[in-house]
Amino acid sequence: MEQTAVKEIAITLPDGAVRRYAPGVTGMEIAQSISPGLAKAVVGIHINGEPSDLSLPIEGDAAIVLVKRESDEGLEMIRHDCAHVLAEAVQTLFPGTQVTIGPTIENGFYYDFARNEPFSTEDFAAIEAEMRKIVERGAAFEREVWDRTEAIKFFRDKGEAYKAELIENLPGTESIKIYRQGAWLDLCRGPHMPTTKHVGNAFKLMKVAGAYWRGDSNKAMLTRIYGTAWRNDKELQAYLTQLEEAEKRDHRKLGKEMALFHLQEEAQGSVFWHPNGFVIYNQLEAYIRRRLSATDYREVKTPQLLDNKLWEASGHWGKYRENMFVVPDVVPNTEEGGKVFKEEPTRFMALKPMNCPAHVQIFKQGLKSYRDLPIRMAEFGCCHRNEAHGALHGLMRVRQMTQDDAHIFCTEDQITSESVAFCDLVKAVYKDLGFEDVRVVLALRPENRAGSDETWDKAEDGLRQALTQAGLAFTEEEGEGAFYGPKVEYHLRDAIGRSWQCGTLQLDFVLPERLDASYIGEDGARHRPVMLHRAVLGTLERFIGILIENYAGKLPLWLAPVQVVVATITGSADEYAEQIYNALKAAGIRAALDVRNEKINYTVREHSLAKVPNLFVVGAREAEEQTVAIRRLGSQAQDVEPLDEALAALIAQAQPPF
RNA sequence: GCCGUUUUAGCUCAGGGGUAGAGCACCUCAUUCGUAAUGAGGGGGUCGUAGGUUCAAAUCCUAUAAACGGCACCA
């Protein structure tokens, strides 16, 4: 065997095959050596588990995974690179614009720019055209490592203050990587695809929005451009179609079409429930009431207006005053045209923003023994919060909301069992209501917090254990808990994928202390109870909004505002139809009678569009035979059944799940 | 609250200095019909609000409100 000076390195592929190459071989060269087709398809590489560039020389033995453009990771790279292309296009067309950051997000990417004159969607056509030029040009992404001080100076001199700040804040251990694409360059961690051409054509700019630098409302407002990018045009079109479809499910749109509710200027953020919508509201409330009753909650009702002193004691006045509706406890001036109040009000009441302080007042009536615990106190509490104008959003974010709230007063030893019971309850309820895809977050101790580390350990473990026992997959988020205790959040998604917090479970060691709640323990001494704040739906408003979008308005029968319409084909069947209608009403079914002189096509269309789940159509034949022709929403089929059977079946189907 | 966009009939939208339009809905009449729009006729808007420019403003300018999309916030 001839000894050569050239050493070889061993490259292990995912299937375990080992290939030998000269040191300094690149990922792209490896791909080429395997097959030209692969070299074409590949856009990235993992070297010993680390995502990297195909152009990076590999000097020693390594295990590699080649990333194809068609893979999910490839798609991520397309989006990331597309953000760079966007930034180059913007700086080409709008000199003087500073670049900041441009990450990938679900379905796309965005890039934040600093410019005195903000962009408008009217600029999109020009920017997209420039982007296509850049992609067409196909400049290679070239990676360079720069000296930190030089990099800072470079960007400062260039007038890129934000980039310079980013570099200054990078940890000292991290090298400063620069990626060039032709004449343009950007600070970036990478990795990137081989060239801008790999981005392809399946991208589209979607919207502009303001966004604060570093997400801090005290810092400058930047202009953010959102884009979407896909592997091919078919995927892009599918995504755009899906967005259009999602818009049709928007609860605000359906709420109008189905006459469920409305909102108006004079009561912004507060819902006018119409008869149809209030059926859903009431059904949902009744369902939760049955669930609560079965799990030993007792329902209460507490005042809407409470003296400011109580809010001061609870701590809400200090922390949340700007979001509270405060009512001066003074008789207004009765003179025309004068000031609202003759004298400066000195006493204030506030509309309750939450129910807990009121519940503590009930707890505090009379002496409580450890034998009384846990006390589970529920209220469909109507709360008011003066939410920022920009935060309001249909039913999802309102100023007047009704929570399916409850507080559990218990001992520390009862935390885990109560939490487990609650998690089970949430799981059962969400399943009944059609939600399988729930995002569960365990929010852990924040920097500023009350209570000892020991207490927090216990509380966090209690919640963790509860979630595990309930069989819920969850993620933990450091520092996201409330100052008074950790919390579990249940998030549901709306039609276009926005996530909203619905259910919650929060441990609280502070409020019982502040409001001086106590019980007598086994030892005869006073002890502080722990409070568990919990809501299953969160607020009825938001939950109904999510429900509407989840079902696209086609609510399950037990929640449908109108469960069945009895419609006639000719006037000769009117009497029979009325008889059916009366029977349905008597059985507690929400029925409507339609004996208008209209063609049956018209009638079917109208009620189908109104998303009525069942149509009982009757004509002379049905009247004669004592049958009904059933047409169910979403089906063209006509199911002729004897009246008795149809009635019994509908009554059975209309039963709530609990 | 911040950035951008929007606001015309009950709803969805067109019209961009010369005095307001469509479709659907509504009302009236005719039609009594077998499973997603029967026909004809009619009524309806001081163009978000308040100022300004102009011979003339829905249209141009300024302010303001709300809604929408994000950001920040969400006890």
Side-chain angles (χ1 to χ4, degrees):
Chain A
M1 203 72 179
E2 192 185 355
Q3 285 288 95
T4 60
V6 182
K7 283 189 291 179
E8 283 189 331
I9 58 171
I11 299 296
T12 311
L13 300 175
D15 63 359
V18 177
R19 300 173 74 109
R20 299 193 171 272
Y21 295 92
V25 69
T26 67
M28 185 51 93
E29 285 162 359
I30 295 171
Q32 274 159 351
S33 77
I34 296 172
S35 89
L38 180 62
K40 251 188 186 167
V42 81
V43 290
I45 184 171
H46 286 204
I47 303 172
N48 296 324
E50 283 293 307
S52 186
D53 299 290
L54 282 170
S55 57
L56 199 73
I58 305 168
E59 303 294 348
D61 292 354
I64 65 157
V65 180
L66 291 168
V67 177
K68 289 188 185 171
R69 189 172 184 278
E70 291 308 304
S71 67
D72 287 348
E73 201 181 330
L75 182 56
E76 276 290 299
M77 294 181 80
I78 291 170
R79 289 171 179 164
H80 180 193
D81 289 10
C82 200
H84 279 243
V85 170
L86 167 63
E88 181 183 349
V90 165
Q91 288 203 315
T92 307
L93 295 174
F94 306 93
T97 302
Q98 293 187 62
V99 288
T100 68
I101 56 161
T104 62
I105 50 172
E106 200 175 0
N107 300 322
F109 60 91
Y110 66 78
Y111 209 111
D112 284 348
F113 299 98
R115 181 171 178 243
N116 294 337
E117 191 84 358
F119 300 101
S120 121
T121 43
E122 285 168 22
D123 300 320
F124 280 6
I127 299 173
E128 279 185 9
E130 185 63 31
M131 288 171 74
R132 289 188 203 287
K133 273 193 223 163
I134 296 165
V135 169
E136 193 48 42
R137 218 175 285 148
F141 282 100
E142 296 171 81
R143 180 180 184 275
E144 295 171 12
V145 177
W146 285 16
D147 173 74
R148 176 176 295 254
T149 352
E150 268 177 38
I152 293 170
K153 185 174 182 310
F154 174 82
F155 283 107
R156 278 237 181 285
D157 292 349
K158 231 176 127 195
E160 297 277 7
Y162 293 94
K163 280 287 173 196
E165 188 182 328
L166 282 174
I167 300 171
E168 279 166 355
N169 286 302
L170 281 176
T173 49
E174 193 153 331
S175 57
I176 309 302
K177 292 189 267 313
I178 299 292
Y179 280 86
R180 281 186 197 275
Q181 54 197 66
W184 192 82
L185 57 78
D186 194 7
L187 168 77
C188 185
R189 186 181 300 125
H192 282 279
M193 303 192 290
T195 73
T196 57
K197 196 153 206 159
H198 287 78
V199 169
N201 265 320
F203 61 83
K204 183 175 163 56
L205 300 183
M206 301 299 283
K207 53 197 177 193
V208 279
Y212 297 106
W213 171 234
R214 310 222 131 178
D216 182 343
S217 58
N218 296 313
K219 294 201 161 81
M221 173 68 64
L222 309 170
T223 304
R224 175 171 298 178
I225 296 180
Y226 284 92
T228 187
W230 298 86
R231 285 168 280 229
N232 54 57
D233 208 49
K234 198 176 157 198
E235 281 187 356
L236 173 63
Q237 289 309 323
Y239 173 66
L240 296 177
T241 308
Q242 182 201 321
L243 273 187
E244 274 173 36
E245 287 303 310
E247 272 170 33
K248 293 183 192 159
R249 295 176 158 236
D250 190 312
H251 73 280
R252 293 163 301 188
K253 189 175 159 70
L254 289 170
K256 200 180 275 178
E257 286 172 6
M258 297 170 71
L260 301 177
F261 65 89
H262 87 269
L263 295 154
Q264 70 184 50
E265 264 192 56
E266 289 78 2
Q268 50 173 303
S270 299
V271 183
F272 291 79
W273 287 104
H274 294 206
N276 278 345
F278 203 51
V279 167
I280 306 172
Y281 185 107
N282 277 330
Q283 288 300 318
L284 204 52
E285 188 179 275
Y287 164 82
I288 291 293
R289 195 168 266 135
R290 290 190 294 274
R291 280 285 189 185
L292 291 179
S293 171
T295 40
D296 295 319
Y297 285 80
R298 304 287 307 283
E299 192 176 339
V300 299
K301 198 75 183 172
T302 61
Q304 212 60 46
L305 270 173
L306 290 140
D307 194 287
N308 169 27
K309 274 181 269 179
L310 184 66
W311 303 113
E312 277 173 26
S314 70
H316 293 99
W317 187 256
K319 211 165 157 54
Y320 296 107
R321 188 171 45 209
E322 63 175 12
N323 290 314
M324 288 169 65
F325 287 102
V326 177
V327 182
D329 190 10
V330 187
V331 179
N333 189 0
T334 51
E335 287 164 22
E336 282 297 319
K339 294 205 299 194
V340 179
F341 300 109
K342 264 187 182 162
E343 53 213 88
E344 191 66 16
T346 51
R347 276 195 64 187
F348 296 96
M349 313 277 281
L351 283 168
K352 64 174 171 182
M354 42 187 351
N355 308 298
C356 27
H359 288 186
V360 176
Q361 303 314 306
I362 294 180
F363 179 87
K364 282 172 67 179
Q365 296 296 305
L367 216 52
K368 295 291 181 294
S369 152
Y370 71 95
R371 295 173 196 276
D372 298 321
L373 303 183
I375 290 175
R376 306 186 188 91
M377 196 184 293
E379 176 171 6
F380 291 95
C382 174
C383 294
H384 288 80
R385 295 180 184 178
N386 197 350
E387 304 283 10
H389 289 79
L392 299 175
H393 182 95
L395 294 180
M396 305 298 198
R397 192 77 182 270
V398 290
R399 285 186 167 158
Q400 181 192 300
M401 69 214 79
T402 303
Q403 303 173 319
D404 64 327
D405 198 14
H407 294 93
I408 300 170
F409 298 86
C410 65
T411 66
E412 286 199 19
D413 292 339
Q414 291 168 332
I415 290 175
T416 304
S417 59
E418 287 303 312
S419 301
V420 170
F422 175 73
C423 290
D424 287 340
L425 178 62
V426 173
K427 206 180 161 195
V429 169
Y430 282 22
K431 187 161 185 288
D432 280 351
L433 296 171
F435 296 100
E436 306 286 347
D437 176 27
V438 184
R439 188 164 70 89
V440 185
V441 173
L442 175 57
L444 304 172
R445 69 192 79 185
E447 294 256 324
N448 289 321
R449 58 181 183 265
S452 68
D453 285 354
E454 202 188 6
T455 316
W456 276 89
D457 287 344
K458 204 167 175 178
E460 289 172 355
D461 281 345
L463 291 181
R464 208 174 272 129
Q465 201 180 321
L467 287 168
T468 310
Q469 274 196 32
L472 291 164
F474 62 98
T475 54
E476 302 195 2
E477 291 185 7
E478 299 287 342
E480 294 296 311
F483 76 96
Y484 52 70
K487 56 184 182 176
V488 177
E489 300 169 356
Y490 296 83
H491 296 260
L492 295 175
R493 285 174 174 272
D494 69 11
I496 63 167
R498 286 178 292 212
S499 176
W500 300 90
Q501 186 193 304
C502 291
T504 183
L505 169 61
Q506 309 179 3
L507 296 192
D508 186 350
F509 306 103
V510 174
L511 198 62
E513 178 82 34
R514 280 184 177 268
L515 296 179
D516 193 28
S518 63
Y519 66 92
I520 310 296
E522 263 176 286
D523 55 1
R526 280 179 187 273
H527 298 273
R528 292 282 173 224
V530 178
M531 270 179 92
L532 274 62
H533 307 248
R534 36 107 308 165
V536 180
L537 305 179
T539 73
L540 285 158
E541 288 80 4
R542 176 176 292 179
F543 206 91
I544 291 172
I546 298 266
L547 266 180
I548 292 168
E549 300 201 356
N550 189 49
Y551 286 108
K554 294 171 192 162
L555 294 160
L557 191 57
W558 69 282
L559 286 171
V562 176
Q563 296 171 311
V564 56
V565 167
V566 185
T568 50
I569 290 167
T570 68
S572 61
D574 287 1
E575 208 173 305
Y576 178 56
E578 200 172 336
Q579 185 194 323
I580 298 173
Y581 168 74
N582 288 332
L584 287 162
K585 295 293 273 187
I589 295 292
R590 294 186 293 276
L593 182 62
D594 185 352
V595 290
R596 290 174 306 171
N597 171 19
E598 290 292 350
K599 291 196 168 175
I600 195 63
N601 283 305
Y602 179 88
T603 309
V604 166
R605 177 182 154 83
E606 205 178 47
H607 297 302
S608 298
L609 288 174
K611 301 181 172 59
V612 173
N614 295 286
L615 270 177
F616 282 7
V617 179
V618 294
R621 200 188 306 147
E622 285 77 12
E624 175 69 25
E625 297 168 354
Q626 292 286 298
T627 57
V628 289
I630 304 169
R631 181 173 169 133
R632 296 184 179 83
L633 186 60
S635 161
Q636 314 262 335
Q638 297 167 45
D639 200 1
V640 180
E641 287 181 21
L643 178 57
D644 295 352
E645 283 177 27
L647 282 177
L650 188 67
I651 291 163
Q653 289 156 17
Q655 287 306 306
F658 188 89

